[in-house]
Amino acid sequence: MNTRPAAAFLLGAYVCASTLTGCALPRTSDDPLAHAVDYARYVIVTIKNEPTNVAPRAGASVRSYAGAQAYGVTQHTRSAVRSIAAAYGLRETTAWPIELLGIHCVVFEIPLDMNREDALSRLRMDRRVDSAQPLQSFSTLNTTASGDPYRRLQRNLDWMHVDEAHRWSLGAGVSVGVVDTGVDAAHPDLAGRIVHQTNFVGDRSDDVYPDRHGTAVAGLIGAAADNHQGIIGIAPQARLYALRACWASENGTRASCSSLTLAKALTAAIEARLQVVNLSLAGPADPLLTRIVQVGQKRGIVFVGATPPSDPRTSFPTNIAGVLAAGVSGEDRGADATLFAPGRDVLTLLPGGGYDFASGASLAAASISGAVALLLARNRTLPAEEARRLLAGSTRHFASDSGEQLASVDLCAALSALAADVVCSQRGTSRQARR
């Protein structure tokens, strides 16, 4: 099932190319730390940087998100970076100012004979340092290909009562950021659906599946409706932003990201004023990323994260209060805040115009992001906690085709609880289980 009609493909490429022209999100250059590195040799140090209209220095890897005269790095901050590097024998690898936190963020490489924890302890006691932490690695949570590509075609939509929900909301105009690998914007089911793409990873010669995971996630959230192609997304009229912060591994079914690439993507999402940010990934608790997410939450952005196999309360991003934690139905890990959605054998998109079934918590997160977009299209000021309450309250328990007991949010029921004019069929409401 890997069809790609030539006419539709060419039209999609043309429409997408036209759509991307002149968008406001930043362009980024290839960054050496976006590639595979020995993370144990790098630390992230932040230094307070008072806002000022100073252009970034020529030739630096720093790229402003608002033009040449936007937020820049003060001379005092630059001097502090140089003196810190000299004092501890560190080498500056890359750096960029984060206006929304009022800091300058620097990645230092530590000497081979230096213990990283000792270096971090010393840096944290330095009055010039705002924060110091390890450069960390994150990974997406599986989209494993199924061996039976025709089985249970989009049964996930049936379980969530998406067809009924679409009578009342299609997610029109809601901006959703997909922080992931790249996305195949030329896929016939994504033609014209990607508002903008930004690459925070750069070109990687070893990344032979650069778009697989992100394409699968984006397709589940917002594949086009009524285009006579393969599938329909949960929020087919949402505005999708592809923020590439991860690179593929394991034949493209998983992907890796770093504190560096995720920080840049999340900052861009916040400054672009996106309404929903999908994070189909997990990793260790990260102080810098937590600060960035919390700023986004204060600005009304809803963040959705995939529930990892370990305790979601200790893993980024689901360890952050207010982040909507999405789990696979039938895989209850005991987290009270988990919102369940189908994540097994879900039909979605492959790069190059293809389709296949996939599984993993990444897909559950994408489903919840699509669900939030449906709710926000009906109430643009809906807080994240209210969205979580509505979706949790809609959760129903049922038996799958094979008799397995599953749980899933019911999108029509959630919309009905939000808006008085939304009416669901008896089938869509009688089996709700309030949590």
Side-chain angles (χ1 to χ4, degrees):
M1 190 159 52
N2 191 22
T3 38
R4 181 177 62 183
F9 175 80
L10 292 175
L11 175 61
Y14 172 78
V15 172
C16 189
S18 301
T19 303
L20 298 183
T21 303
C23 293
L25 279 179
R27 299 174 65 183
T28 183
S29 61
D30 191 6
D31 193 312
L33 281 182
H35 295 257
V37 297
D38 179 4
Y39 284 88
R41 293 185 57 200
Y42 294 89
V43 296
I44 296 179
V45 174
T46 65
I47 300 166
K48 290 293 184 183
N49 187 55
E50 294 301 323
T52 181
N53 289 330
V54 179
R57 63 187 184 274
S61 62
V62 177
R63 294 296 184 95
S64 168
Y65 292 139
Q69 296 300 317
Y71 181 79
V73 185
T74 67
Q75 188 59 44
H76 179 269
T77 300
R78 291 176 183 170
S79 177
V81 171
R82 289 192 295 268
S83 62
I84 289 170
Y88 300 99
L90 307 176
R91 183 178 72 86
E92 179 182 345
T93 302
T94 188
W96 74 104
I98 304 179
E99 181 179 10
L100 61 87
L101 296 182
I103 60 174
H104 186 50
C105 190
V106 186
V107 178
F108 286 117
E109 182 180 11
I110 64 175
L112 289 172
D113 59 352
M114 181 180 292
N115 179 275
R116 187 172 69 172
E117 291 307 314
D118 290 344
L120 287 171
S121 295
R122 294 171 61 194
L123 285 164
R124 287 165 182 157
M125 291 187 292
D126 193 314
R127 292 184 177 181
R128 297 167 295 184
V129 173
D130 171 61
S131 69
Q133 67 168 73
L135 175 69
Q136 301 188 120
S137 177
F138 302 80
S139 63
T140 56
L141 296 178
N142 268 5
T143 51
T144 55
S146 169
D148 186 3
Y150 294 98
R151 184 165 60 88
R152 295 195 284 187
L153 295 176
Q154 291 203 275
R155 287 289 288 145
N156 58 308
L157 301 189
D158 298 334
W159 291 337
M160 293 187 290
H161 293 149
V162 170
D163 287 345
E164 276 202 299
H166 281 176
R167 294 172 52 204
W168 309 101
S169 177
L170 294 168
V174 177
S175 56
V176 181
V178 179
V179 177
D180 211 288
T181 66
V183 173
D184 179 11
H187 193 293
D189 262 333
L190 290 176
R193 301 289 302 112
I194 309 298
V195 175
H196 189 81
Q197 295 193 88
T198 310
N199 184 358
F200 297 98
V201 173
D203 296 327
R204 290 175 53 91
S205 59
D206 60 329
D207 192 351
V208 295
Y209 299 95
D211 301 330
R212 181 163 183 163
H213 193 274
T215 300
V217 168
L220 187 55
I221 295 172
D226 301 321
N227 64 342
H228 305 289
Q229 295 296 329
I231 66 171
I232 182 174
I234 293 171
Q237 291 184 5
R239 295 163 53 83
L240 302 181
Y241 290 72
L243 306 175
R244 188 185 183 209
C246 310
W247 50 95
S249 59
E250 298 183 24
N251 296 326
T253 59
R254 292 178 66 90
S256 300
C257 331
S258 75
S259 304
L260 172 75
T261 56
L262 289 174
K264 290 184 176 182
L266 288 169
T267 299
I270 294 169
E271 294 186 343
R273 300 179 181 179
L274 304 188
Q275 294 165 275
V276 184
V277 173
N278 184 82
L279 292 162
S280 288
L281 51 87
D286 189 288
L288 175 61
L289 298 182
T290 297
R291 290 169 67 185
I292 295 173
V293 168
Q294 288 173 339
V295 169
Q297 290 175 324
K298 290 178 181 178
R299 298 189 182 186
I301 299 175
V302 180
F303 292 87
V304 179
T307 304
S310 58
D311 190 341
R313 293 166 293 188
T314 63
S315 300
F316 176 85
T318 52
N319 67 312
I320 303 173
V323 171
L324 275 58
V328 177
S329 38
E331 297 181 5
D332 188 345
R333 298 183 176 92
D336 293 336
T338 298
L339 299 172
F340 294 106
R344 299 179 187 172
D345 299 313
V346 174
L347 184 63
T348 187
L349 308 183
L350 287 178
Y355 303 85
D356 200 358
F357 287 89
S359 300
S362 288
L363 302 176
S367 296
I368 296 301
S369 290
V372 172
L374 297 187
L375 294 172
L376 286 174
R378 294 300 302 256
N379 182 347
R380 297 286 178 177
T381 61
L382 186 71
E385 178 54 31
E386 181 63 9
R388 193 205 69 79
R389 187 190 69 79
L390 292 169
L391 291 169
S394 78
T395 300
R396 63 193 192 93
H397 299 265
F398 58 96
S400 69
D401 298 337
S402 62
E404 182 183 14
Q405 293 300 309
L406 301 177
S408 176
V409 296
D410 182 325
L411 303 194
C412 190
L415 283 168
S416 180
L418 173 67
D421 63 317
V422 175
V423 179
C424 303
S425 70
Q426 184 67 21
R427 176 178 176 271
T429 58
S430 62
R431 300 172 70 184
Q432 292 181 48
R434 298 289 174 179
R435 293 175 63 133

